[in-house]
Amino acid sequence: MTIVRWAPSPTGRIHLGNARPAMLNWFFARRHGGRYVLRMDDTDTARSTREFADGIEADLAWLGITPDLLVRQSDRTALYDAARDRLIAAGRLYPCYETEDELDRRRKRARALGRPPIYDRAALKLTEEDRAKLEAEGRKPHWRFKLDGRPVQFEDLIKGTQTVNTASMSDPVLVREDGSYLYTLPSVVDDIDLGITHVIRGEDHVSNTGTQIEIFEALGGPVPIFGHHNLLTDAEGQGFSKRLGSQSLSDFRAEGYEPLAIAIMASITGTSLPIEPYASLDDIAAKLDFSMISHGAARFDPVELDNLNARLLHAMPYETALPRLTSLGLEGEAIWLLLRDNLSKFNDIVEWSKLVLGPVEPVIADEDRDFLALAKALLPPEPWSLETWGEWTNALKAATGRKGKPLFLPLRLVLTGRHDGPELKSLLPLVGRTACLARLP
């Protein structure tokens, strides 16, 4: 079975850049009848909070994603400890005692000599006596994974054949001096334990993949299939970032955007599929193949989001809108079908519904008062239909000689109080004769 995971760090509210891998993993799981694991990478105890974790779950639910399994790395430390001990016993994880200042000086010296600034494995030369002396001085080791130092090749679902040469890399630190784990080891251990078959993530992780494959192999676990997608950037081409305060999904929700609009923008941007309304997430999953993902950047356009959001509302069936209309105290299919084409955000319906239900503040130009008085006198009797508007305006045209804008605009302004809006021939029957008489002077 296909099993994917999305692994956010609960150190802030998720933004569009985070939503992209969340959605792409979801679509892949749905397309292949697989399972979707939400893994909270909450080992950073200084910055991770339960509030942010709860917010991530709420944001996923708003987007329409229901994970099949939720795990928290903070609950799984025993697994990481066991893997650490196995790697130490195998000679793949070794203690190092350099301070950050010492390492920084070594890197600068290597650059000055024209060498790559990678770790020189000096700690491997330490004897038991050397380590005992350093620890007697109060130093605590951090632990590095000993790389094979070879070209690691893998077939990427999106980018094709990739090769990462670990010979050009420093042995990565997997365990900090305080015993806490960096991202890499817990991630690999979890992928093995949870049976993750496909790791779908941003292309900024390609260079990490060689190291991770070596750790998978060192632990004897199956290596998943990797897929690295292009990154979503803002309108200026900058990457989204929690630390830079990029607009979060909760911000978009508070501003009234449709979750499907956000899901489409987060996933379809930077692919060969058009940015347009889709019926549902499953509709996108059925159409989006990873071969459609561009190798160039995926640039988010807020104007495109606004247009898409409006188009989704304009096509929304009454049955879909009804629960939200009911919560706003507004019901009636005729009103929805009349007004939805004017909406940018769903709650705009509250203001637009005043055209039907009132109150309306009529706009009346002094030069139009006599014309509007005649319009009131010629207002047809009920019952009204879609033909009523034509009957009324034809009578006014015959009586006054007005036509075009001088005929129609004063009527629109007095009946709706605004220059824009739905067709008056459709609006008039819903407003009714009594309300129209009250709006005419």
Side-chain angles (χ1 to χ4, degrees), residues 62 247 252-253 255-259 261-262 302 305-306 309 345:
W62 180 67
Q247 193 171 17
F252 285 112
R253 182 168 58 215
E255 291 173 17
Y257 286 97
E258 297 298 301
I262 298 300
L305 170 62
D306 287 337
N309 200 77
K345 308 283 180 59

Side-chain angles (χ1 to χ4, degrees), residues 8 24 84 307 345 352:
L24 292 178
R84 174 203 62 199
N307 292 337
K345 308 283 180 59
W352 281 106

Side-chain angles (χ1 to χ4, degrees), residues 278-292:
Y278 292 82
S280 65
L281 296 186
D282 283 343
D283 187 29
I284 302 172
K287 295 176 180 177
L288 179 59
D289 186 86
F290 281 1
S291 64
M292 299 173 178

Side-chain angles (χ1 to χ4, degrees), residues 24-45:
L24 292 178
N25 274 282
W26 177 252
F27 294 146
F28 191 80
R30 300 292 284 182
R31 187 179 179 91
H32 296 281
R35 286 166 53 82
Y36 183 100
V37 177
L38 172 60
R39 189 186 78 204
M40 295 291 183
D41 285 4
D42 58 355
T43 56
D44 184 348
T45 55

Side-chain angles (χ1 to χ4, degrees), residues 126-136:
L126 296 175
T127 64
E128 289 290 341
E129 292 75 15
D130 293 332
R131 288 195 286 270
K133 182 179 178 181
L134 289 167
E135 292 184 13

Side-chain angles (χ1 to χ4, degrees), residues 35-331:
R35 286 166 53 82
Y36 183 100
V37 177
L38 172 60
R39 189 186 78 204
M40 295 291 183
D41 285 4
D42 58 355
T43 56
D44 184 348
T45 55
R47 296 172 57 226
S48 296
T49 70
R50 188 58 180 263
E51 179 184 0
F52 286 140
D54 291 344
I56 289 171
E57 290 188 67
D59 287 337
L60 281 187
W62 180 67
L63 288 172
I65 293 176
T66 303
D68 297 296
L69 177 67
L70 167 63
V71 296
R72 305 178 193 278
Q73 288 192 326
S74 55
D75 297 333
R76 300 167 63 79
T77 306
L79 287 173
Y80 314 144
D81 291 346
R84 174 203 62 199
D85 293 345
R86 287 176 58 196
L87 292 175
I88 291 173
R92 297 301 297 272
L93 201 60
Y94 61 96
C96 304
Y97 295 85
E98 297 92 347
T99 66
E100 189 53 46
D101 285 343
E102 290 169 343
L103 291 171
D104 188 51
R105 286 197 297 272
R106 289 187 191 179
R107 286 190 289 265
K108 289 177 179 176
R109 185 163 59 248
R111 290 191 186 98
L113 294 172
R115 299 172 185 163
I118 63 175
Y119 181 61
D120 59 8
R121 291 182 169 174
L124 286 174
K125 301 181 180 70
L126 296 175
T127 64
E128 289 290 341
E129 292 75 15
D130 293 332
R131 288 195 286 270
K133 182 179 178 181
L134 289 167
E135 292 184 13
E137 293 173 3
R139 296 205 188 196
K140 293 184 178 180
H142 56 273
W143 295 78
R144 290 181 183 267
F145 178 76
K146 186 179 179 183
L147 293 167
D148 289 336
R150 59 180 171 86
V152 178
Q153 190 174 93
F154 61 96
E155 287 299 318
D156 193 286
L157 277 174
I158 298 167
K159 293 183 168 296
T161 303
Q162 299 290 301
T163 301
V164 178
N165 191 352
T166 61
S168 63
M169 299 178 176
S170 292
D171 290 341
V173 177
L174 301 189
V175 188
R176 300 183 182 92
E177 290 179 8
D178 63 3
S180 63
Y181 295 98
L182 281 83
Y183 164 83
T184 309
L185 182 60
S187 179
V188 171
V189 171
D190 285 336
D191 286 344
I192 294 171
D193 180 69
L194 298 170
I196 302 301
T197 60
H198 295 76
V199 174
I200 300 160
R201 56 190 182 178
E203 62 189 4
D204 52 332
H205 287 285
V206 170
S207 60
N208 305 333
T209 306
T211 295
Q212 291 168 358
I213 288 175
E214 286 201 16
I215 298 173
F216 275 107
E217 293 172 346
L219 290 173
V223 178
I225 297 169
F226 291 90
H228 293 91
H229 60 77
N230 53 358
L231 300 180
L232 194 64
T233 68
D234 63 20
E236 287 73 44
Q238 299 297 312
F240 290 93
S241 168
K242 295 176 188 174
R243 295 185 181 183
L244 294 178
S246 296
Q247 193 171 17
S248 68
L249 294 196
S250 57
D251 293 331
F252 285 112
R253 182 168 58 215
E255 291 173 17
Y257 286 97
E258 297 298 301
L260 187 54
I262 298 300
I264 292 169
M265 292 299 296
S267 58
I268 300 301
T269 302
T271 75
S272 59
L273 284 178
I275 300 293
E276 63 184 12
Y278 292 82
S280 65
L281 296 186
D282 283 343
D283 187 29
I284 302 172
K287 295 176 180 177
L288 179 59
D289 186 86
F290 281 1
S291 64
M292 299 173 178
I293 297 177
S294 168
H295 290 186
R299 184 167 295 194
F300 165 72
D301 183 350
V303 175
E304 200 165 32
L305 170 62
D306 287 337
N307 292 337
L308 174 65
N309 200 77
R311 291 174 68 189
L312 284 169
L313 293 172
H314 300 170
M316 185 177 289
Y318 176 64
E319 294 73 19
T320 303
L322 181 56
R324 295 160 72 180
L325 292 172
T326 301
S327 71
L328 295 172
L330 298 170
E331 294 183 14

